[in-house]
Amino acid sequence: MSHSPSLERFLTYRLHLVSRTSDRESSAAYVDECGISLSDGRCLAAIGSFAPLSVRDLARRANQDKAQTSRSVKSLVALGLVGKAASDVDGRGVVLTLTPAGKRTYRKVMKMIAARNDAIFGALNAAERRTLGTLLDRVTAALGENAVRR
């Protein structure tokens, strides 16, 4: 009888643990440092990085489901951080961009993300970080675009 590895040795289990721990700590940091939720912060970062975006494209870029993304868009618009305009491509759709206040918050969010990234991966040296990045890129590519993009 073959012996399976214990649960905590599976890479998927460990990746989930890193993700959950990171999300929990990042959630508090978004509120404390930027005054917005984790979901709103992810959306703001994606809009600032990839604008203009539709809500569907934002959901994919922020790695969130469309309902969660729609709630974040409403929140960010209400806070005056994101503007919505009619899409030139799809008359029924909207495109999202940052407002001037959104751009200021985006810069704070990106600084916080960089600091969180350094804290999380501080146990790795620069070469190890590059190697991990390359390996994660390969795994993501192997999963296929449909698995990663909702």
Side-chain angles (χ1 to χ4, degrees):
M1 176 190 247
S2 68
H3 185 280
S4 296
S6 62
L7 178 62
E8 66 271 1
R9 297 312 310 152
F10 282 101
L11 288 174
T12 51
Y13 179 87
R14 290 188 279 171
L15 285 171
H16 183 72
L17 178 63
V18 168
S19 175
R20 295 288 298 184
T21 303
S22 171
D23 280 357
R24 189 171 37 252
E25 292 176 9
S26 293
S27 182
Y30 272 104
V31 171
D32 293 346
E33 297 177 34
C34 303
I36 57 178
S37 72
L38 175 63
S39 177
D40 291 2
R42 285 185 173 154
C43 287
L44 189 81
I47 295 167
S49 296
F50 306 110
L53 290 173
S54 67
V55 175
R56 176 182 298 230
D57 289 339
L58 174 58
R60 181 177 51 81
R61 291 289 194 166
N63 195 27
Q64 298 182 155
D65 65 55
K66 193 168 179 224
Q68 183 180 28
T69 301
S70 292
R71 287 189 298 274
S72 285
V73 167
K74 280 184 179 180
S75 173
L76 292 168
V77 168
L79 291 169
L81 302 176
V82 168
K84 290 169 46 171
S87 170
D88 291 337
V89 177
D90 176 5
R92 296 172 298 148
V94 297
V95 291
L96 307 166
T97 57
L98 296 180
T99 64
K103 289 176 184 176
R104 287 189 298 276
T105 304
Y106 168 76
R107 287 189 291 274
K108 285 172 60 176
V109 163
M110 294 306 288
K111 274 183 156 175
M112 190 208 66
I113 289 171
R116 294 280 314 125
N117 193 72
D118 287 345
I120 292 165
F121 295 103
L124 304 176
N125 66 37
E128 290 168 331
R129 287 184 191 199
R130 283 191 301 277
T131 299
L132 179 59
T134 299
L135 294 172
L136 289 173
D137 288 345
R138 284 178 41 198
V139 170
T140 300
L143 287 172
E145 195 163 302
N146 289 332
V148 176
R149 297 179 181 197
R150 297 187 201 278

Coordinates of all heavy atoms in Angstrom, one line a residue, residues 44-104:
L44 N -9.1 48.7 -7.5 CA -8.5 49.9 -7.8 C -7.1 49.7 -8.4 O -6.7 50.4 -9.4 CB -8.3 50.7 -6.5 CG -7.9 52.2 -6.7 CD1 -9.0 53.1 -7.1 CD2 -7.3 52.7 -5.4
A45 N -6.3 48.8 -7.9 CA -5.0 48.5 -8.4 C -5.1 48.0 -9.9 O -4.3 48.4 -10.7 CB -4.3 47.4 -7.5
A46 N -6.1 47.2 -10.2 CA -6.2 46.7 -11.5 C -6.7 47.8 -12.5 O -6.1 47.9 -13.6 CB -7.3 45.5 -11.6
I47 N -7.6 48.7 -12.0 CA -8.0 49.8 -12.9 C -6.8 50.7 -13.1 O -6.5 51.1 -14.3 CB -9.2 50.5 -12.3 CG1 -10.4 49.7 -12.2 CG2 -9.5 51.8 -13.1 CD1 -11.5 50.2 -11.4
G48 N -6.1 51.0 -12.1 CA -4.9 51.9 -12.3 C -3.8 51.3 -13.1 O -3.1 52.0 -13.8
S49 N -3.7 50.0 -13.1 CA -2.7 49.3 -13.9 C -3.1 49.0 -15.4 O -2.2 49.0 -16.3 CB -2.3 48.0 -13.3 OG -1.7 48.2 -12.0
F50 N -4.4 48.8 -15.6 CA -4.8 48.3 -16.9 C -6.0 49.1 -17.6 O -6.5 48.7 -18.6 CB -5.3 46.9 -16.8 CG -4.3 45.9 -16.2 CD1 -4.5 45.4 -14.9 CD2 -3.2 45.6 -16.8 CE1 -3.6 44.6 -14.3 CE2 -2.2 44.7 -16.2 CZ -2.5 44.2 -15.0
A51 N -6.3 50.3 -17.0 CA -7.4 51.1 -17.5 C -7.2 51.5 -19.0 O -6.1 51.6 -19.4 CB -7.7 52.3 -16.6
P52 N -8.3 51.7 -19.7 CA -9.7 51.6 -19.3 C -10.1 50.1 -19.3 O -9.6 49.3 -20.1 CB -10.4 52.4 -20.3 CG -9.6 52.3 -21.6 CD -8.2 52.2 -21.1
L53 N -11.0 49.8 -18.4 CA -11.5 48.4 -18.3 C -13.0 48.3 -18.2 O -13.6 49.2 -17.6 CB -10.9 47.7 -17.0 CG -9.5 47.4 -16.9 CD1 -9.1 46.9 -15.5 CD2 -9.1 46.3 -17.9
S54 N -13.6 47.3 -18.7 CA -15.0 47.0 -18.5 C -15.1 46.3 -17.2 O -14.0 45.8 -16.6 CB -15.5 46.1 -19.6 OG -14.9 44.8 -19.5
V55 N -16.3 46.1 -16.6 CA -16.4 45.4 -15.4 C -16.0 43.9 -15.6 O -15.3 43.4 -14.7 CB -17.9 45.5 -14.9 CG1 -18.1 44.6 -13.6 CG2 -18.2 46.9 -14.5
R56 N -16.3 43.4 -16.7 CA -15.9 42.0 -17.0 C -14.4 41.8 -17.0 O -13.8 40.9 -16.4 CB -16.5 41.5 -18.3 CG -16.0 40.1 -18.7 CD -16.6 39.7 -20.0 NE -18.0 39.7 -19.9 CZ -18.8 38.7 -20.3 NH1 -18.3 37.7 -20.9 NH2 -20.1 38.8 -20.1
D57 N -13.7 42.8 -17.7 CA -12.3 42.7 -17.8 C -11.6 43.0 -16.4 O -10.6 42.4 -16.0 CB -11.7 43.7 -18.8 CG -12.0 43.3 -20.2 OD1 -12.2 42.1 -20.5 OD2 -12.0 44.2 -21.1
L58 N -12.3 43.9 -15.6 CA -11.8 44.2 -14.3 C -11.9 42.9 -13.4 O -10.9 42.6 -12.7 CB -12.6 45.3 -13.7 CG -12.3 45.6 -12.2 CD1 -10.8 45.9 -12.0 CD2 -13.2 46.7 -11.7
A59 N -13.0 42.2 -13.5 CA -13.1 41.0 -12.7 C -12.0 40.0 -13.0 O -11.4 39.4 -12.1 CB -14.5 40.3 -13.0
R60 N -11.7 39.9 -14.3 CA -10.6 39.0 -14.7 C -9.2 39.5 -14.2 O -8.5 38.7 -13.6 CB -10.6 38.8 -16.2 CG -9.5 37.9 -16.8 CD -9.6 37.8 -18.3 NE -9.6 39.0 -19.0 CZ -8.5 39.7 -19.3 NH1 -7.3 39.3 -18.9 NH2 -8.6 40.9 -19.9
R61 N -9.0 40.8 -14.4 CA -7.7 41.3 -13.9 C -7.5 41.3 -12.4 O -6.4 41.2 -11.9 CB -7.5 42.7 -14.5 CG -7.4 42.8 -15.9 CD -6.0 42.3 -16.4 NE -5.8 42.7 -17.7 CZ -4.6 42.6 -18.3 NH1 -3.5 42.2 -17.6 NH2 -4.4 43.0 -19.5
A62 N -8.6 41.5 -11.7 CA -8.6 41.5 -10.2 C -8.7 40.1 -9.6 O -8.6 40.0 -8.4 CB -9.7 42.5 -9.7
N63 N -8.9 39.2 -10.5 CA -9.1 37.8 -10.1 C -10.2 37.6 -9.0 O -10.1 37.0 -8.0 CB -7.8 37.2 -9.5 CG -7.8 35.7 -9.4 OD1 -8.5 35.0 -10.1 ND2 -7.1 35.1 -8.5
Q64 N -11.4 38.2 -9.4 CA -12.6 38.1 -8.6 C -13.8 37.8 -9.4 O -13.7 37.9 -10.6 CB -12.8 39.5 -7.9 CG -11.7 40.0 -7.0 CD -12.1 41.3 -6.4 OE1 -11.5 41.6 -5.3 NE2 -12.9 42.2 -6.9
D65 N -14.8 37.3 -8.8 CA -16.0 37.1 -9.6 C -16.7 38.4 -9.9 O -16.5 39.4 -9.3 CB -17.0 36.1 -8.9 CG -17.5 36.6 -7.6 OD1 -18.2 37.7 -7.6 OD2 -17.4 35.9 -6.5
K66 N -17.6 38.3 -10.9 CA -18.2 39.5 -11.4 C -19.1 40.2 -10.4 O -19.1 41.5 -10.3 CB -19.0 39.2 -12.7 CG -19.4 40.5 -13.5 CD -19.9 40.2 -14.8 CE -20.3 41.5 -15.5 NZ -21.5 41.5 -16.2
A67 N -19.8 39.5 -9.6 CA -20.7 40.1 -8.6 C -19.9 40.9 -7.5 O -20.2 42.0 -7.2 CB -21.5 39.0 -7.9
Q68 N -18.8 40.2 -7.1 CA -17.9 40.9 -6.1 C -17.3 42.2 -6.7 O -17.2 43.2 -6.1 CB -16.8 39.9 -5.7 CG -15.9 40.4 -4.6 CD -14.8 39.4 -4.3 OE1 -14.5 38.5 -5.1 NE2 -14.3 39.5 -3.1
T69 N -16.9 42.0 -8.0 CA -16.3 43.2 -8.7 C -17.3 44.3 -8.9 O -17.0 45.5 -8.7 CB -15.7 42.7 -10.1 OG1 -14.8 41.7 -9.8 CG2 -15.1 43.9 -10.8
S70 N -18.5 44.0 -9.2 CA -19.6 45.0 -9.4 C -19.8 45.7 -8.1 O -20.0 47.0 -8.1 CB -20.9 44.3 -9.8 OG -20.8 43.9 -11.1
R71 N -19.8 45.0 -6.9 CA -19.9 45.7 -5.6 C -18.8 46.6 -5.4 O -19.0 47.8 -4.9 CB -20.1 44.7 -4.5 CG -21.4 43.9 -4.5 CD -21.6 43.1 -3.2 NE -20.6 42.0 -3.1 CZ -20.7 40.8 -3.6 NH1 -21.8 40.5 -4.3 NH2 -19.8 39.9 -3.4
S72 N -17.6 46.2 -5.7 CA -16.4 47.1 -5.5 C -16.5 48.3 -6.4 O -16.1 49.4 -6.0 CB -15.1 46.3 -5.8 OG -14.9 45.4 -4.7
V73 N -16.9 48.1 -7.6 CA -17.0 49.3 -8.6 C -18.0 50.3 -8.0 O -17.7 51.5 -7.9 CB -17.5 48.8 -10.0 CG1 -17.9 50.0 -10.8 CG2 -16.3 48.1 -10.6
K74 N -19.2 49.8 -7.5 CA -20.1 50.7 -6.9 C -19.5 51.5 -5.7 O -19.7 52.7 -5.6 CB -21.4 50.0 -6.4 CG -22.4 49.6 -7.4 CD -23.6 49.0 -6.8 CE -24.6 48.6 -7.8 NZ -25.8 48.0 -7.3
S75 N -18.8 50.8 -4.9 CA -18.1 51.4 -3.7 C -17.1 52.4 -4.2 O -17.0 53.5 -3.6 CB -17.5 50.3 -2.9 OG -16.7 50.9 -1.8
L76 N -16.2 52.1 -5.1 CA -15.2 53.0 -5.6 C -15.8 54.2 -6.3 O -15.2 55.3 -6.2 CB -14.2 52.2 -6.5 CG -13.4 51.1 -5.8 CD1 -12.7 50.2 -6.8 CD2 -12.4 51.7 -4.9
V77 N -16.9 54.0 -7.0 CA -17.5 55.2 -7.7 C -18.1 56.1 -6.6 O -17.9 57.3 -6.6 CB -18.6 54.7 -8.7 CG1 -19.5 55.9 -9.1 CG2 -17.9 54.0 -9.9
A78 N -18.8 55.5 -5.6 CA -19.3 56.3 -4.5 C -18.3 57.0 -3.7 O -18.5 58.1 -3.2 CB -20.1 55.3 -3.5
L79 N -17.1 56.5 -3.6 CA -16.0 57.1 -2.9 C -15.3 58.2 -3.8 O -14.4 58.9 -3.3 CB -14.9 56.1 -2.4 CG -15.4 55.1 -1.3 CD1 -14.4 54.0 -1.2 CD2 -15.5 55.9 0.0
G80 N -15.7 58.3 -5.0 CA -15.1 59.2 -5.9 C -13.7 58.8 -6.4 O -13.0 59.7 -6.9
L81 N -13.4 57.5 -6.4 CA -12.1 57.1 -6.8 C -12.1 56.5 -8.2 O -11.0 56.5 -8.8 CB -11.6 56.0 -5.8 CG -11.5 56.4 -4.3 CD1 -11.1 55.2 -3.5 CD2 -10.5 57.5 -4.2
V82 N -13.2 56.2 -8.7 CA -13.4 55.6 -10.0 C -14.5 56.3 -10.8 O -15.5 56.6 -10.2 CB -13.6 54.0 -10.0 CG1 -14.0 53.5 -11.3 CG2 -12.4 53.3 -9.4
G83 N -14.2 56.5 -12.1 CA -15.3 57.1 -12.9 C -15.7 56.1 -13.9 O -15.0 55.2 -14.3
K84 N -17.0 56.2 -14.3 CA -17.6 55.3 -15.3 C -18.0 56.1 -16.5 O -18.6 57.2 -16.3 CB -18.8 54.6 -14.7 CG -18.5 53.6 -13.6 CD -19.8 53.1 -12.9 CE -20.9 52.7 -13.6 NZ -22.0 52.0 -12.8
A85 N -17.8 55.6 -17.7 CA -18.2 56.2 -18.9 C -18.7 55.2 -19.8 O -18.3 54.0 -19.7 CB -17.0 57.0 -19.5
A86 N -19.6 55.6 -20.7 CA -20.1 54.7 -21.7 C -19.0 54.2 -22.6 O -18.1 54.9 -23.0 CB -21.2 55.4 -22.6
S87 N -19.1 52.9 -23.0 CA -18.1 52.3 -23.8 C -18.3 52.7 -25.3 O -19.4 52.7 -25.8 CB -18.2 50.8 -23.7 OG -17.4 50.1 -24.7
D88 N -17.2 53.1 -26.0 CA -17.3 53.4 -27.4 C -17.5 52.1 -28.2 O -18.0 52.1 -29.3 CB -16.0 54.0 -27.9 CG -15.8 55.4 -27.3 OD1 -16.8 56.0 -26.9 OD2 -14.7 55.9 -27.2
V89 N -17.0 50.9 -27.7 CA -17.1 49.7 -28.4 C -18.5 49.0 -28.2 O -19.1 48.5 -29.1 CB -16.0 48.7 -27.8 CG1 -16.1 47.4 -28.5 CG2 -14.7 49.3 -28.0
D90 N -19.0 49.1 -26.9 CA -20.3 48.4 -26.6 C -21.2 49.5 -25.9 O -20.9 49.9 -24.8 CB -20.0 47.3 -25.7 CG -21.3 46.6 -25.2 OD1 -22.4 47.0 -25.6 OD2 -21.2 45.7 -24.3
G91 N -22.2 49.9 -26.6 CA -23.0 51.0 -26.1 C -23.7 50.7 -24.8 O -24.1 51.6 -24.1
R92 N -23.8 49.4 -24.5 CA -24.5 49.0 -23.3 C -23.5 48.9 -22.1 O -23.8 48.9 -21.0 CB -25.2 47.6 -23.4 CG -26.3 47.6 -24.4 CD -26.8 46.2 -24.6 NE -25.8 45.4 -25.2 CZ -25.6 44.1 -25.0 NH1 -26.4 43.5 -24.2 NH2 -24.6 43.5 -25.6
G93 N -22.2 48.8 -22.4 CA -21.2 48.6 -21.4 C -20.6 49.9 -20.9 O -20.9 51.0 -21.4
V94 N -19.8 49.8 -19.9 CA -19.1 51.0 -19.3 C -17.6 50.7 -19.3 O -17.2 49.5 -19.3 CB -19.6 51.3 -17.9 CG1 -21.1 51.7 -17.9 CG2 -19.3 50.2 -16.9
V95 N -16.8 51.8 -19.3 CA -15.4 51.6 -19.0 C -15.1 52.4 -17.7 O -15.7 53.4 -17.4 CB -14.5 52.2 -20.2 CG1 -14.7 51.3 -21.4 CG2 -14.9 53.6 -20.5
L96 N -14.1 51.8 -17.0 CA -13.7 52.3 -15.7 C -12.4 52.9 -15.8 O -11.4 52.4 -16.4 CB -13.8 51.2 -14.7 CG -15.1 50.4 -14.6 CD1 -14.9 49.1 -13.9 CD2 -16.2 51.2 -14.0
T97 N -12.2 54.1 -15.2 CA -10.9 54.8 -15.1 C -10.8 55.4 -13.7 O -11.8 55.6 -13.0 CB -10.8 55.9 -16.1 OG1 -11.8 56.8 -16.0 CG2 -10.7 55.3 -17.6
L98 N -9.6 55.8 -13.3 CA -9.4 56.4 -12.0 C -9.7 57.9 -12.1 O -9.3 58.5 -13.1 CB -8.0 56.2 -11.5 CG -7.5 54.8 -11.3 CD1 -6.1 54.7 -10.8 CD2 -8.4 54.1 -10.2
T99 N -10.2 58.4 -11.1 CA -10.4 59.9 -10.9 C -9.1 60.4 -10.4 O -8.2 59.6 -10.0 CB -11.5 60.2 -10.0 OG1 -11.1 59.7 -8.7 CG2 -12.9 59.6 -10.4
P100 N -8.9 61.7 -10.3 CA -7.7 62.3 -9.7 C -7.5 61.7 -8.2 O -6.4 61.4 -7.8 CB -7.9 63.8 -9.7 CG -8.7 64.0 -11.0 CD -9.7 62.8 -11.0
A101 N -8.6 61.7 -7.5 CA -8.5 61.1 -6.1 C -8.1 59.6 -6.2 O -7.4 59.1 -5.3 CB -9.8 61.3 -5.3
G102 N -8.7 58.9 -7.2 CA -8.4 57.5 -7.4 C -6.9 57.3 -7.7 O -6.3 56.3 -7.2
K103 N -6.3 58.2 -8.5 CA -4.9 58.1 -8.8 C -4.0 58.3 -7.6 O -3.0 57.6 -7.4 CB -4.5 59.1 -9.9 CG -5.1 58.8 -11.2 CD -4.8 59.9 -12.3 CE -5.5 59.5 -13.6 NZ -5.3 60.6 -14.6
R104 N -4.4 59.2 -6.7 CA -3.7 59.4 -5.4 C -3.8 58.1 -4.6 O -2.8 57.6 -4.0 CB -4.2 60.6 -4.7 CG -3.8 61.9 -5.3 CD -4.1 63.1 -4.4 NE -5.5 63.3 -4.1 CZ -6.4 63.9 -4.9 NH1 -6.0 64.4 -6.1 NH2 -7.7 64.0 -4.6

